[in-house]
Amino acid sequence: EVQLVESGGGLVQPGGSLRLFCAASGFKFSIYSMNWVRQAPGKGLEWVSYMTSDTRTIHYADSVRGRFTISRDNAKNSLFLQMNSLRAEDTAVYYCVVSVAGHFDYWGQGTLVTVSS
Amino acid sequence: EVVLTQSPGTLSLSPGERATLSCRASQSISSAYLAWYRHKPGQTPRLLIYSASTRATGIPDRFSGSGSGTDFTLTISRLEPEDFAMYYCQQYGNSPIFSFGPGTKVEIK
């Protein structure tokens, strides 16, 4: 069974940093592209970042480019999102998501990030 | 930049009725890269349809997708209680590489 478990969310002040972590199991993590997708309170889904299995291709949404960094450790079946210079509008549930051929097949339960003073 | 628009914003229907949801792209996109998701409150989004018309694993046949170019449709033939939720379309491959529509809420009438 595919499992994606996010952690690392919490309350942080504007301008602060946070590192999200996703532990993957139940599938061959090293061959799949991975993503972070978020949902702000009362809002829709927003794709945040993408990384291919070999880490050679990375994409970011314009709203986070230059502030967020995606990374992965295939040996440890782990995905990360380093978030710097956080803003109130970054407040959201962040999902770790497996993508296959451009669609999002498997989603974690999400971790809540709250940016507030 | 491709912008996805979904209509209607809210659909009020009764269980057993047919639901027709629309997703329109600001420019032509490949049918291979258009997907639909159902998102129930407190739960994880679930992939329903990919490549515009292919049902994902375990998705019942009351869900169907169609369309091409800029106009795509998700049809739920007979609404079950668990189908009252938010629905999002999503595209891949254009700028931005991934994007979602704003969603359609299907609510109980």
Side-chain angles (χ1 to χ4, degrees):
Chain A
E1 179 192 2
V2 172
Q3 282 203 316
L4 298 163
V5 180
E6 302 92 338
S7 61
L11 176 63
V12 61
Q13 292 189 338
S17 297
L18 216 52
R19 183 175 173 86
L20 302 185
F21 170 67
C22 172
S25 61
F27 66 105
K28 195 168 177 63
F29 177 80
S30 61
I31 66 171
Y32 286 94
S33 297
M34 296 296 298
N35 300 261
W36 290 98
V37 174
R38 69 184 180 184
Q39 184 175 35
K43 303 293 185 180
L45 299 172
E46 180 188 15
W47 166 77
V48 172
S49 185
Y50 162 88
M51 173 178 271
T52 52
S53 57
D54 60 7
T55 76
R56 291 182 179 179
T57 300
I58 294 173
H59 292 287
Y60 297 100
D62 288 346
S63 57
V64 307
R65 187 176 293 113
R67 300 187 299 121
F68 289 13
T69 302
I70 190 172
S71 61
R72 64 191 293 165
D73 183 339
N74 286 339
K76 296 183 178 179
N77 294 337
S78 299
L79 180 72
F80 307 95
L81 186 67
Q82 178 66 42
M83 304 186 297
N84 298 331
S85 303
L86 283 161
R87 307 166 180 168
E89 54 265 36
D90 295 318
T91 294
V93 174
Y94 285 74
Y95 296 99
C96 169
V97 188
V98 179
S99 60
V100 177
H103 49 267
F104 300 120
D105 281 52
Y106 300 103
W107 299 63
Q109 289 301 311
T111 186
L112 176 62
V113 172
T114 303
V115 184
S116 175
S117 54
Chain B
E1 177 181 330
V2 175
V3 177
L4 298 177
T5 304
Q6 292 186 242
S7 62
T10 302
L11 200 50
S12 298
L13 295 167
S14 300
E17 288 194 294
R18 181 184 188 89
T20 302
L21 288 68
S22 174
C23 176
R24 178 164 290 178
S26 59
Q27 58 187 266
S28 183
I29 61 175
S30 170
S31 298
Y33 300 131
L34 192 287
W36 290 91
Y37 302 83
R38 180 180 67 187
H39 191 191
K40 295 189 279 189
Q43 296 190 21
T44 288
R46 182 170 186 184
L47 175 67
L48 300 173
I49 300 285
Y50 63 93
S51 298
S53 61
T54 303
R55 276 189 300 277
T57 302
I59 301 301
D61 60 7
R62 66 179 184 273
F63 291 94
S64 62
S66 63
S68 63
T70 60
D71 292 300
F72 299 88
T73 300
L74 173 70
T75 302
I76 310 171
S77 59
R78 288 177 55 85
L79 285 165
E80 298 287 339
E82 62 267 28
D83 297 333
F84 293 93
M86 286 294 293
Y87 290 81
Y88 297 94
C89 59
Q90 172 251 322
Q91 68 83 29
Y92 161 76
N94 293 275
S95 176
I97 187 167
F98 293 98
S99 60
F100 290 92
T104 290
K105 181 180 181 181
V106 178
E107 65 176 21
I108 299 177
K109 186 175 182 180

